[in-house]
């Protein structure tokens, strides 16, 4: 009988010309073998899109389509369907309409499953159609890691006190943390972070519990807590799989984990440091299958990209990309190198770590334990007949000196610095004992960038800035040519897709400093960064704040976010 309903579902698609008879027969045979939904098989085989599938069902059966990401689900309604039932039957509660429970389902033709749910939940059910992606996002948002962790905790019987750990030998502790529940819990923490596209995982011991936080879109968010008596086992498990010494608890350690999550290769850089209540662990997540972006897709305003291109198309000199950790410097530099890459040039890089593997470019990874530092690699590069050199970061005077010598001898050198803006990079190099006249003759341009949160496209609303607004004066000072009626900005009202925050994803803001003859004269005199900035603005540099304001006016981010990240009260 179930097959008959599946056949009916297939017939709907056949009758409306969405699929052919041969495609339906092939999909039914595959569905019988795999036990998947017929619709899922048809979509997987590319015979029909999920959107067209839903439109057909909606029209032919009169069952509406719901977008869960645009709804806020009442906790009382959510409680009507236990998580294990929702995930088993692939359904999600939407709302209560009188005595009926509106239930989002993937396959509204599966009447047997709906009958089982009616009996199980003791509810009259009104089905609505949902896409698989939307359903998965709802599971992640409303159940997420917490629900899965509770399942793990049921099997977890870890009674380890901190004092007991001190007495355990490495072999005993290693045996304890190989327990299946601890292994599953650590795997769950990592896999959920990858699914949420987190950049970092923080495990922070407190007096009474272990707090786990994810950094998503540049902001930390608490996702769960674990009982204090699981702390030692969890931290030790991470130290073991990242190659650290679990017996050493008094000194900071670094490690690395390579793994696959849902087929995605990832690299975790692990840092462990002792704090008051135990050992704090931070794991930086690097996605090894990151697709190298074209320069046009990195969020540059057209004239800013043109200014930046004019720098890196030059044959020699030093180009710096500056900004804090996690501001996208490596992504920008890798995209530049990819654009410069050709069979006619020898490009060599030294990085820590190599985030993007680029065919045709010779990439070296720093290995501090073996003595392979930025400076050592850079010194060796000069004997490798390079045309273009990229140094992941200028961290010390020695690296800065060698980079300067490389630029003086006809090489194009690209690198990064950690400074607040482009002009202050000049003074940073001078602070590293590089003579001002050498800085003036080698540095040809500097790009400063930051990442800001983008406004959520699903819930953003426009408003016009008025003189009563606290930001009115600083906006008009930085955009003097913009008429007051054109000062239209956007805010996110908050929806399920953006976790009620009003923000979604991130974008870059930039400032490009070109070193011309006037600028070289100032740098040689070792003037303060403020004077260099004034000259750069006079020569056409748009500041980070001004670049951000333009992107806020374009509806890409919010005024508040730009003020938070880029405004400096001078």
């Amino acid at each position: 009988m179930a097959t008959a309903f599946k056949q009916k579902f297939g017939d709907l698609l056949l009758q409306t010309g969405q699929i052919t008879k041969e495609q339906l027969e092939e999909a039914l045979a595959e569905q019988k073998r795999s036990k998947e939904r017929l619709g899922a098989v048809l979509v997987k085989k590319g015979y029909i899109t999920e959107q067209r599938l839903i439109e057909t069902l909606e029209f032919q059966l009169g069952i509406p389509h719901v977008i869960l990401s645009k709804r806020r689900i009442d906790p009382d309604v959510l409680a009507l369907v236990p998580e294990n039932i929702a995930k088993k039957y692939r359904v999600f509660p939407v709302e209560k309409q009188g005595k009926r429970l509106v239930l989002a389902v993937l396959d509204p033709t599966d009447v047997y499953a709906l009958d089982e749910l009616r009996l199980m939940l003791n509810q009259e059910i009104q089905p609505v159609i949902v896409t698989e992606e939307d359903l998965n996002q709802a599971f992640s948002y409303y159940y997420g890691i917490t629900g899965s962790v509770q399942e793990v905790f049921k099997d977890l019987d870890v009674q380890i006190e901190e004092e007991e750990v001190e007495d355990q030998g490495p072999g005993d502790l290693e045996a304890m943390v190989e327990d299946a529940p601890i292994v599953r819990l650590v795997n769950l923490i990592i896999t959920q972070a990858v699914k949420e596209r987190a950049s970092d995982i923080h495990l922070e011991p407190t007096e009474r519990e272990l707090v786990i936080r994810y950094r998503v879109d540049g902001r930390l968010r608490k996702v769960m807590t674990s009982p204090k008596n699981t702390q030692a086992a969890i931290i030790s498990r991470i130290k073991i799989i990242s190659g650290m010494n679990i017996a050493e608890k008094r000194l900071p350690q670094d490690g690395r984990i390579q793994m696959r999550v849902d087929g995605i290769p990832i690299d975790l850089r692990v840092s462990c440091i002792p704090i008051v209540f135990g050992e704090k662990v931070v794991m930086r997540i690097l996605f090894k299958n990151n697709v190298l972006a074209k320069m046009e897709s990195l969020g540059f305003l057209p004239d800013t990209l043109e200014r930046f291109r004019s720098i890196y198309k030059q044959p020699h000199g030093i180009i710096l990309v500056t900004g804090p950790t996690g501001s996208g410097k490596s992504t920008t530099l890798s995209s530049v190198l990819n654009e410069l890459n050709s069979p006619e040039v020898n490009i060599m890089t030294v990085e820590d770590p190599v985030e993007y593997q680029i065919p045709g470019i010779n990439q070296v990874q720093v290995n501090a334990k073996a003595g392979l530092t930025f400076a050592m690699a850079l010194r060796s590069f000069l004997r490798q007949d390079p045309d273009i050199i990229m140094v992941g970061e200028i961290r010390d005077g020695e690296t800065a000196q060698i980079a300067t010598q490389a630029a003086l001898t006809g090489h194009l050198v690209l690198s990064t610095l950690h400074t607040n803006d482009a002009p202050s990079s000049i003074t940073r190099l001078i602070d590293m004992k590089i003579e001002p006249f050498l800085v003036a003759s080698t540095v040809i341009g500097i790009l400063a960038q930051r990442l800001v949160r983008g406004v959520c496209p699903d819930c953003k609303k426009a408003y016009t800035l008025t003189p009563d607004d606290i930001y009115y004066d600083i906006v008009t000072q930085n955009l003097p040519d913009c008429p007051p009626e054109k000062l239209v900005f956007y805010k996110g009202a908050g929806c399920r897709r953006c976790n009620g925050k009003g923000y979604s994803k991130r974008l870059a803001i930039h400032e490009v400093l070109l070193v011309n003859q006037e600028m070289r004269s100032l740098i040689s005199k070792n003037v303060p960064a403020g004077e260099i900035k004034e000259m750069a603005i006079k020569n056409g540099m748009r500041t980070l704040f001004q670049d951000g304001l333009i992107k806020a006016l374009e509806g890409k981010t919010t005024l508040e976010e730009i003020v938070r990240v880029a405004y400096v009260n001078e």
Side-chain angles (χ1 to χ4, degrees):
M1 190 69 176
T3 306
F5 278 101
K6 296 294 179 188
Q7 184 65 49
K8 181 182 176 184
F9 176 38
D11 284 344
L12 283 175
L13 299 173
L14 194 60
Q15 289 162 12
T16 54
Q18 306 296 328
I19 57 174
T20 65
K21 185 177 180 181
E22 292 75 19
Q23 288 173 336
L24 175 58
E25 288 173 352
E26 187 182 337
L28 282 169
E30 174 66 27
Q31 188 265 335
K32 189 174 181 180
R33 285 194 302 271
S34 66
K35 307 300 181 186
E36 290 182 274
R37 293 179 301 106
L38 180 60
V41 173
L42 289 165
V43 171
K44 186 189 294 185
K45 286 183 170 292
Y47 295 154
I48 189 171
T49 65
E50 190 167 29
Q51 187 59 38
R52 182 58 63 87
L53 188 72
I54 285 171
E55 288 171 358
T56 303
L57 287 170
E58 192 171 9
F59 180 74
Q60 294 293 325
L61 302 180
I63 298 174
H65 167 218
V66 68
I67 302 175
L68 294 173
S69 62
K70 293 187 176 181
R71 287 174 171 263
R72 286 184 180 236
I73 308 301
D74 188 316
D76 292 336
V77 173
L78 192 65
L80 295 174
V81 183
E83 181 185 359
N84 62 328
I85 292 177
K87 289 186 173 179
K88 178 182 177 182
Y89 287 91
R90 306 290 290 159
V91 298
F92 199 85
V94 179
E95 62 182 356
K96 200 80 184 322
Q97 292 181 350
K99 294 182 179 180
R100 288 188 169 190
L101 174 64
V102 178
L103 202 64
V105 300
L106 292 173
D107 184 0
T109 67
D110 191 348
V111 293
Y112 285 141
L114 293 174
D115 283 342
E116 287 180 18
L117 286 164
R118 282 189 188 95
L119 293 171
M120 206 175 297
L121 301 174
N122 195 25
Q123 298 276 344
E124 279 299 312
I125 289 173
Q126 175 66 50
V128 291
I129 311 167
V130 66
T131 66
E132 188 136 27
E133 182 185 5
D134 197 18
L135 182 67
N136 289 335
Q137 286 181 348
F139 284 157
S140 177
Y141 179 77
Y142 288 103
Y143 299 131
I145 191 171
T146 306
S148 302
V149 165
Q150 297 307 320
E151 293 297 314
V152 175
F153 281 159
K154 288 178 184 177
D155 302 328
L156 202 56
D157 184 22
V158 181
Q159 301 295 330
I160 309 173
E161 298 297 333
E162 291 296 321
E163 305 80 47
E164 294 176 14
V165 173
E166 296 295 334
D167 299 331
Q168 295 285 348
D172 295 330
L173 186 55
E174 192 165 338
M176 282 192 292
V177 300
E178 289 299 327
D179 276 353
I182 286 293
V183 172
R184 276 167 41 217
L185 184 56
V186 170
N187 288 345
L188 182 63
I189 291 168
I190 295 171
T191 55
Q192 187 65 28
V194 171
K195 288 175 182 176
E196 296 190 22
R197 302 297 293 183
S199 61
D200 302 86
I201 305 169
H202 289 239
L203 292 92
E204 301 169 330
T206 65
E207 188 176 4
R208 294 183 175 83
E209 61 192 6
L210 180 68
V211 176
I212 290 90
R213 298 195 291 171
Y214 294 162
R215 188 178 294 280
V216 180
D217 292 339
R219 305 285 278 185
L220 279 170
R221 175 169 58 86
K222 181 177 174 181
V223 292
M224 64 165 282
T225 60
S226 187
K228 187 69 175 178
N229 61 4
T230 66
Q231 175 181 307
I234 291 171
I235 300 297
S236 295
R237 170 66 186 170
I238 292 170
K239 288 172 73 175
I240 287 171
I241 61 177
S242 60
M244 297 184 198
N245 179 2
I246 63 170
E248 178 56 74
K249 299 178 179 63
R250 299 163 298 173
L251 297 173
Q253 295 186 69
D254 293 317
R256 180 182 178 188
I257 303 169
Q258 291 181 296
M259 62 189 295
R260 284 181 175 267
V261 176
D262 291 341
I264 302 170
I266 62 167
D267 199 346
L268 294 123
R269 296 307 168 103
V270 187
S271 172
C272 179
I273 190 167
I275 62 173
V276 175
F277 298 111
E279 292 175 282
K280 173 179 166 69
V281 171
V282 174
M283 293 184 272
R284 165 64 56 91
I285 303 173
L286 302 171
F287 293 88
K288 297 175 77 174
N289 67 340
N290 276 344
V291 177
L292 204 56
K294 291 184 179 296
M295 292 300 298
E296 286 79 6
S297 66
L298 294 182
F300 284 90
L301 293 172
D303 58 337
T304 304
L305 179 55
E306 187 179 337
R307 282 170 64 86
F308 187 43
R309 270 207 173 107
S310 72
I311 300 170
Y312 66 75
K313 293 294 184 180
Q314 295 189 41
H316 56 79
I318 296 175
I319 299 168
L320 297 172
V321 178
T322 181
T325 301
S327 60
K329 300 187 296 296
S330 296
T331 299
T332 299
L333 277 180
S334 297
S335 296
V336 169
L337 290 177
N338 195 46
E339 193 170 298
L340 296 174
N341 190 15
S342 78
E344 289 80 31
V345 294
N346 177 22
I347 302 177
M348 304 200 70
T349 77
V350 55
E351 304 167 65
D352 184 21
V354 175
E355 292 188 33
Y356 296 88
Q357 295 178 11
I358 310 172
I361 291 181
N362 308 286
Q363 296 172 274
V364 175
Q365 186 153 305
V366 165
N367 187 340
K369 289 181 180 177
L372 180 56
T373 62
F374 282 119
M376 181 182 181
L378 187 52
R379 198 179 291 110
S380 299
F381 282 1
L382 297 178
R383 296 189 289 272
Q384 290 280 320
D385 185 32
D387 297 292
I388 300 169
I389 296 170
M390 195 273 270
V391 187
E393 183 183 344
I394 295 178
R395 292 180 178 174
D396 51 52
E398 184 184 7
T399 308
Q401 289 282 0
I402 304 168
T404 303
Q405 291 302 318
L408 285 171
T409 52
H411 302 91
L412 184 64
V413 180
L414 298 92
S415 191
T416 70
L417 275 179
H418 286 197
T419 59
N420 291 325
D421 58 13
S424 57
S425 299
I426 299 293
T427 53
R428 174 63 61 83
L429 286 176
I430 294 171
D431 289 342
M432 289 181 172
K433 308 302 181 187
I434 306 298
E435 292 292 339
F437 75 89
L438 286 176
V439 175
S441 58
T442 55
V443 176
I444 56 176
I446 303 166
L447 168 72
Q449 69 179 53
R450 295 280 191 285
L451 292 181
V452 296
R453 292 176 295 170
V455 67
C456 177
D458 287 352
C459 63
K460 73 176 183 180
K461 295 180 179 178
Y463 70 96
T464 303
L465 200 68
T466 65
D468 296 331
D469 194 287
I470 58 172
Y471 300 131
Y472 186 83
D473 289 341
I474 61 172
V475 169
T476 52
Q477 287 165 13
N478 282 274
L479 296 175
D481 298 329
C482 186
E485 67 274 12
K486 298 285 187 180
L487 294 176
V488 178
F489 293 95
Y490 298 81
K491 283 184 179 179
C495 64
R496 211 277 291 159
R497 186 179 287 276
C498 62
N499 290 341
K501 302 290 186 184
Y503 293 98
S504 175
K505 299 185 178 178
R506 290 192 290 176
L507 67 146
I509 57 174
H510 309 92
E511 71 179 24
V512 176
L513 184 153
L514 297 176
V515 180
N516 57 15
Q517 199 56 48
E518 285 181 295
M519 189 69 72
R520 289 193 182 95
S521 177
L522 280 182
I523 295 169
S524 296
K525 295 173 185 174
N526 195 12
V527 300
E531 289 187 39
I532 294 173
K533 183 173 183 177
E534 287 177 15
M535 177 61 74
I537 292 172
K538 179 184 171 185
N539 291 336
M541 183 184 83
R542 185 185 291 122
T543 66
L544 283 166
F545 186 58
Q546 290 169 331
D547 189 86
L549 287 178
I550 293 171
K551 287 167 182 171
L553 287 170
E554 291 177 345
K556 296 175 181 176
T557 184
T558 68
L559 175 56
E560 289 76 12
E561 180 72 356
I562 297 302
V563 171
R564 180 185 72 83
V565 172
Y567 179 65
V568 179
N569 188 355
E570 298 176 342

